[in-house]
Amino acid sequence: MNSSTPSAANGNDSKKFKRDRPPCSPSRVLHLRKIPCDVTEAEIISLGLPFGKVTNLLMLKGKSQAFLEMASEEAAVTMVNYYTPITPHLRSQPVYIQYSNHRELKTDNLPNQARAQAALQAVSAVQSGSLALSGGPSNEGTVLPGQSPVLRIIIENLFYPVTLEVLHQIFSKFGTVLKIITFTKNNQFQALLQYADPVNAHYAKMALDGQNIYNACCTLRIDFSKLTSLNVKYNNDKSRDFTRLDLPTGDGQPSLEPPMAAAFGLSVPAVPGALGPLTITSSAVTGRMAIPGAGGIPGNSVLLVTNLNPDLITPHGLFILFGVYGDVHRVKIMFNKKENALVQMADANQAQLAMNHLSGQRLYGKVLRATLSKHQAVQLPREGQEDQGLTKDFSNSPLHRFKKPGSKNFQNIFPPSATLHLSNIPPSVTVDDLKNLFIEAGCSVKAFKFFQKDRKMALIQLGSVEEAIQALIELHNHDLGENHHLRVSFSKSTI
C-alpha cells in the first residue's frame, strides 16, 4: 500500500501527530501509532469493538499506523478514556491512540482496502443482529438469537495463578460482569462468567479466545455455556455475585490465594502480558489486583471529580449523575475550589464503573474528569463549620438505584448517550407532555417513542450526549402527578 492517507486524512496526520488537536476536541476518527507490522485488520478492529460499532478502517503498515472510525463520537471518547490510563497492546507491543484531526475516513478510492472492508463486513454482520450496537428501534432487550450471556473459560498452561479478580479485570473491559464461578475440572482451572448482555459475551469471546494472559502461558479457551444464568451462593475467592454484595462467604472456605501463591512462590516477577490492557502486574499475580478499585475487592470508593462548572454544579446534581452507575453515599464540592468535588460511592466496583463511564463527558460546557481520590471517605462538616451546603450525605436516600440485591438495574448500566430511557410514566401523560417537559429543561427533542408493549416506558432522543446528561440530572425523579416520579437512565438503543 502506498503510504498516503485518504483524502479525508490528507497524508499529514502521521507526521503531525504531536500537533494533533488537543485531547479535549474529540473526533470519531482515531489515530493509532506504533502498530506491529504483522498485525491483522481484525486485531485493530477488536480494540474498538467493546466501545461501539466500528465503521471504517485504514491501515498504513509502512508507517506502523492506522485510522479507526467509530460510529459515534461518544464511542470514540469512551475508547480514548479507557485506553489513556491503560495503554493497549497488540502482539505484546504498546499501541498509542489519540483523536485524529479528521471527522471521517474516506477510503473508497484507495487500493488494498479489500481486507479491511472484509473484516468490517464480518463484524458488521454480527452487529446487525444486535440492537446494542446497531441502534435499532425500541425493544431494549434484543440479543443475538439463542446466544447465552454466560461464557465457559478454560485456562491452559497455568504457570502463574489466575484468580477470580484477574478474570474480572480482564473481562470487565467488554461489559458489566455480573457473576463469576471458578472451579477445577479434569485438572484444569475453569470458570463460568455471566455478563449483563449476550452481546458483551460475544465480543469478549471474539477478542480473547486463544489469547495469553501472560507471555506464552495462561491461555484462554472460551466457549458459550449452555447455561443462561449462574446461581452464586457465596461471595469468596471461588465465586462472586457482583450484584449481591450481601451474600455470605460460606463455611470458612479456604481462600484460593495462599495455597496458589505458595505453590508458585510469592515473588512472581512482573510478566509483560500478551494482552496489554488486560495484563496483570506482579502484585495481582500474588492475588492482589493491580488496578485500584477494580474487581469488587476492598479498594477506594471515593472519586475526585475535576473541571466542573462551578456556577451550575450542585451536590444533588452529582448525586443524580453518578447514581446512574452506583449508590452515591456522600458528595462534597470543594469550598475553596468549586470546580472540584469528591463523590463517595457504595463500593470500589461502583466507583470504577462511574469513573470509566463519566470521565471525559461534557457537562455544563466543560469536560468532566474523574479519578480515584486518595481520600478513603468524604468527611461531613463539623457542627457550626461554614460549608454553604456544599457537603451532602445521601447514604439513606430513597433514590438509590442499586440498594435492592439482584436489582435489574445492574443489567441496565450503559454509557451516557443522547437517547434516554424513561419509565414510571402514568397513563394520563401524553407524548407532548413529555416532549414539552424536556424542551422546558432546555433540550432539543429529535425523536420520541413509547414502548409498544408497555406505555409506562419510552425512549427520547435529544440533540447531544451533553443535553441528555443535563436532562437526566434535572428530570430524574421529576413528579409527573398521580404519585408517579419519572425515572431516567441512559439507553443502549437509538430511535
Side-chain angles (χ1 to χ4, degrees), residues 139-426:
N139 184 350
E140 294 247 51
T142 302
V143 295
L144 302 177
Q147 190 169 293
S148 167
V150 180
L151 294 176
R152 186 181 66 127
I153 302 155
I154 296 174
I155 299 177
E156 297 175 348
N157 306 323
L158 189 71
F159 293 160
Y160 298 105
V162 173
T163 63
L164 185 145
E165 275 86 15
V166 167
L167 290 174
H168 184 267
Q169 181 184 332
I170 291 170
F171 283 83
S172 289
K173 181 188 169 199
F174 296 89
T176 304
V177 174
L178 301 183
K179 303 170 188 177
I180 303 177
I181 297 171
T182 65
F183 54 95
T184 301
K185 186 177 176 184
N186 303 332
N187 286 329
Q188 282 183 314
F189 180 69
Q190 301 192 21
L192 292 168
L193 181 144
Q194 182 181 343
Y195 277 106
D197 192 313
V199 173
N200 304 130
H202 176 89
Y203 286 129
K205 179 181 184 302
M206 223 158 89
L208 298 177
D209 188 26
Q211 295 269 22
N212 296 329
I213 298 177
Y214 307 110
N215 267 0
C217 69
C218 300
T219 309
L220 293 165
R221 299 284 175 224
I222 304 171
D223 279 306
F224 292 107
S225 169
K226 294 190 177 83
L227 300 169
T228 52
S229 181
L230 298 179
N231 181 20
V232 174
K233 292 179 181 168
Y234 302 113
N235 279 344
N236 54 35
D237 294 322
K238 293 182 177 159
S239 62
R240 191 79 52 88
D241 183 336
F242 295 96
T243 68
R244 293 278 312 272
L245 303 176
D246 58 325
L247 288 178
T249 56
D251 46 359
Q253 246 180 328
S255 82
L256 186 72
E257 286 147 20
M260 288 284 270
F264 291 100
L266 273 171
S267 56
V268 181
V271 190
L275 286 181
L278 316 171
T279 300
I280 321 300
T281 64
S282 58
S283 66
V285 171
T286 54
R288 293 184 302 279
M289 286 297 283
I291 292 185
I297 54 172
N300 198 353
S301 59
V302 179
L303 295 171
L304 171 64
V305 186
T306 57
N307 203 37
L308 296 164
N309 184 326
D311 300 325
L312 295 171
I313 203 65
T314 63
H316 182 260
L318 289 170
F319 163 69
I320 295 293
L321 177 59
F322 280 76
V324 172
Y325 300 104
D327 291 338
V328 176
H329 283 194
R330 292 178 179 176
V331 177
K332 178 191 280 290
I333 292 176
M334 303 301 195
F335 187 75
N336 294 324
K337 200 173 184 195
K338 293 188 172 63
E339 57 268 31
N340 292 356
L342 294 173
V343 177
Q344 183 178 337
M345 307 296 289
D347 62 47
N349 214 30
Q350 295 180 3
Q352 193 78 31
L353 208 55
M355 181 173 83
N356 290 351
H357 283 304
L358 293 175
S359 192
Q361 298 291 347
R362 291 186 76 83
L363 173 63
Y364 302 128
K366 302 192 75 170
V367 178
L368 172 157
R369 299 280 171 224
T371 54
L372 288 169
S373 165
K374 60 179 188 286
H375 297 283
Q376 294 300 310
V378 170
Q379 300 299 321
L380 293 175
R382 293 187 300 278
E383 243 181 281
Q385 191 181 348
E386 176 59 39
D387 180 64
Q388 296 177 351
L390 295 174
T391 307
K392 295 278 185 204
D393 187 340
F394 296 100
S395 47
N396 295 315
S397 170
L399 295 185
H400 284 164
R401 295 178 190 240
F402 305 99
K403 63 182 174 197
K404 251 205 252 170
S407 162
K408 269 196 177 156
N409 291 336
F410 279 105
Q411 299 178 37
N412 291 311
I413 294 174
F414 303 111
S417 62
T419 306
L420 295 172
H421 180 272
L422 312 180
S423 59
N424 206 30
I425 302 165

